[in-house]
Amino acid sequence: MKMNVMSGQSGYLYSIYVCVCLALLVQKNFVQASNCTQDDRTYMQNQFTQCSEKVTNSYQNSIEGGNLEGPTCTLFTDLLGDCSKIWKLCHSEEDISKMKDMQLEALLGQYVDSGIVHL
């Protein structure tokens, strides 16, 4: 598998864009956040944003050496697996599955469809 990744701020900024879009979807109740207070939703969104920023920064640092395959796989796994765990605070498993699908679609759009990563 050959992967090429654009370095610099564009990957980081797009990851922030994805987080903001997911937060807006949650806020606008496209994905229901039942049994949560506004404080719970704010906390959840902040925790997800912090996690995704940490994962993205780690990814940016790890690709500087030119090894792209492992770090890109780790990025996807960490965002979809670890960072999304906070969604359990306010969402059902069905909602979380939908949100993960949206996030995966956005990641594929960023890293594959745009040509940043070639699988």
Side-chain angles (χ1 to χ4, degrees):
M1 177 179 350
K2 180 181 177 189
M3 301 180 124
N4 299 317
V5 180
M6 182 187 328
S7 62
Q9 288 290 80
S10 61
Y12 175 76
L13 293 174
Y14 190 83
S15 294
I16 297 301
Y17 171 76
V18 169
C19 292
V20 169
C21 288
L22 286 170
L24 289 172
L25 288 171
V26 170
Q27 189 68 29
K28 294 291 184 182
N29 291 323
F30 287 111
V31 178
Q32 296 297 317
S34 59
N35 300 323
C36 273
T37 65
Q38 181 60 42
D39 287 342
D40 292 338
R41 285 189 294 276
T42 300
Y43 173 78
M44 178 188 64
Q45 291 167 357
N46 288 338
Q47 291 298 306
F48 180 81
T49 298
Q50 288 175 12
C51 181
S52 62
E53 286 174 353
K54 178 182 168 189
V55 167
T56 302
N57 286 335
S58 177
Y59 172 74
Q60 291 295 327
N61 291 333
S62 67
I63 63 170
E64 291 176 2
N67 176 20
L68 306 174
E69 186 174 315
T72 303
C73 182
T74 300
L75 172 71
F76 278 47
T77 301
D78 290 350
L79 287 171
L80 293 169
D82 295 338
C83 294
S84 66
K85 288 178 183 176
I86 190 65
W87 294 337
K88 290 180 181 180
L89 178 65
C90 293
H91 298 284
S92 69
E93 290 299 321
E94 183 179 343
D95 287 344
I96 291 170
S97 179
K98 290 176 188 177
M99 292 166 69
K100 284 182 177 182
D101 288 347
M102 288 187 289
Q103 187 177 29
L104 179 58
E105 186 176 328
L107 288 168
L108 290 173
Q110 176 187 357
Y111 289 93
V112 178
D113 293 346
S114 66
I116 295 171
V117 173
H118 295 88
L119 301 177

